[in-house]
Amino acid sequence: MIDVYSWPTPNGHKVHIMLEECGLAYRAIPVDIGAGDQFKESFLAISPNNKIPAIVDADGPDGKPISLFESGAILLYLAGKTGKLLGKTDREKYNTLQWLMFQMGGLGPMLGQAHHFRIYAPTKIDYAVDRYTNEAKRLYGVLDKQLAETEYLAGDTYTIADIASFPWTRSAANQGIDWADYPHAKRWFDAISARPAVQRGVEVLANLRKPLVDDKAKEVLFGKTQYSKK
């Protein structure tokens, strides 16, 4: 049994989807990031960066429990544990890894900034909105160009690179994206959306999420609480 400390966000859904795709037994333990659960000592003990998701696998590589934080690291761990969704040859694995790093270093952070400044920033800053919306469009263009040549991001096989990227594209409209401008990426998005394991994964903890309209929750996520020493 793998304990998954998570919340229904793109990074959380990466791991939910991976667990469903691999058919692993897991228990989803909610970490309400709007209420500040991510700052509790018990969570910081397994996720020192106070971010979800994190996992505790009772059956680690040496038969002993292991805890991991960072969604990309967790995807790699689960791929290694099951021998699935990373690629078989060294060439396939490195190709998958480069697209995983593309998501971790670019797609996720930049789409998150676009979403924040377009939707949540208390003051509309045109420079920030334009900067991150334009970067979002550029990144979707990278996806679209790649997916014009291959069925999935790392080639013709579905991998953790797709699992990592897909949840971030579920809010394309809030990032200033019109899918009509990216037909190959939209084809990919629709194909992944239709996968039963993906459909199950994005429902994990989804009933707990509420619209972010509470001022206290916004302060926890975006204000001084986020940056105080832990």
Side-chain angles (χ1 to χ4, degrees):
M1 178 66 69
I2 296 175
D3 286 339
V4 185
Y5 296 82
S6 191
W7 197 243
T9 69
N11 283 333
H13 285 323
K14 292 179 194 177
V15 176
H16 308 158
I17 291 169
M18 182 65 174
L19 289 162
E20 290 288 344
E21 291 282 10
C22 293
L24 291 167
Y26 69 96
R27 175 175 58 180
I29 301 170
V31 179
D32 187 341
I33 59 177
D37 288 355
Q38 68 273 35
F39 304 121
K40 292 180 178 178
E41 288 299 321
S42 58
F43 182 67
L44 290 172
I46 60 173
S47 183
N49 195 32
N50 62 259
K51 304 291 185 182
I52 61 95
I55 68 167
V56 176
D57 184 1
D59 182 22
D62 50 5
K64 299 177 182 179
I66 185 173
S67 65
L68 289 167
F69 69 102
E70 286 294 330
S71 58
I74 295 169
L75 291 181
L76 285 169
Y77 172 75
L78 296 174
K81 181 181 179 74
T82 61
K84 296 179 179 179
L85 299 167
L86 182 58
K88 300 300 182 183
T89 68
D90 285 346
R91 182 176 295 274
E92 289 172 346
K93 290 176 182 178
Y94 285 121
N95 196 27
T96 299
L97 285 173
Q98 70 177 349
W99 285 102
L100 176 64
M101 296 303 108
F102 165 80
Q103 188 284 311
M104 298 298 297
L107 192 71
M110 294 299 102
L111 297 190
Q113 293 293 340
H115 199 127
H116 177 80
F117 283 106
R118 291 175 59 89
I119 306 298
Y120 295 128
T123 302
K124 183 178 180 182
I125 304 171
D126 289 339
Y127 175 82
V129 171
D130 291 345
R131 173 178 170 79
Y132 290 112
T133 300
N134 288 335
E135 179 63 2
K137 292 178 178 179
R138 187 190 73 80
L139 290 165
Y140 273 84
V142 174
L143 292 177
D144 199 64
K145 183 177 180 180
Q146 173 67 6
L147 293 164
E149 302 294 332
T150 58
E151 186 173 0
Y152 296 103
L153 284 176
D156 292 325
T157 303
Y158 178 68
T159 68
I160 57 174
D162 303 291
I163 292 173
S165 297
F166 168 78
W168 282 98
T169 62
R170 295 178 70 223
S171 298
N174 286 345
Q175 298 153 7
I177 297 300
D178 183 347
W179 276 119
D181 296 330
Y182 309 95
H184 306 294
K186 183 60 164 62
R187 184 268 307 159
W188 166 86
F189 177 86
D190 289 343
I192 295 178
S193 296
R195 295 179 68 90
V198 172
Q199 293 173 359
R200 293 192 300 270
V202 298
E203 288 301 316
V204 174
L205 302 176
N207 64 312
L208 299 180
R209 187 169 186 175
K210 302 174 183 177
L212 191 58
V213 295
D214 180 78
D215 287 340
K216 182 178 179 181
K218 289 182 179 179
E219 197 287 324
V220 168
L221 287 171
F222 309 132
K224 292 181 180 179
T225 300
Q226 180 68 236
Y227 305 109
S228 61
K229 185 176 181 179
K230 303 298 185 293

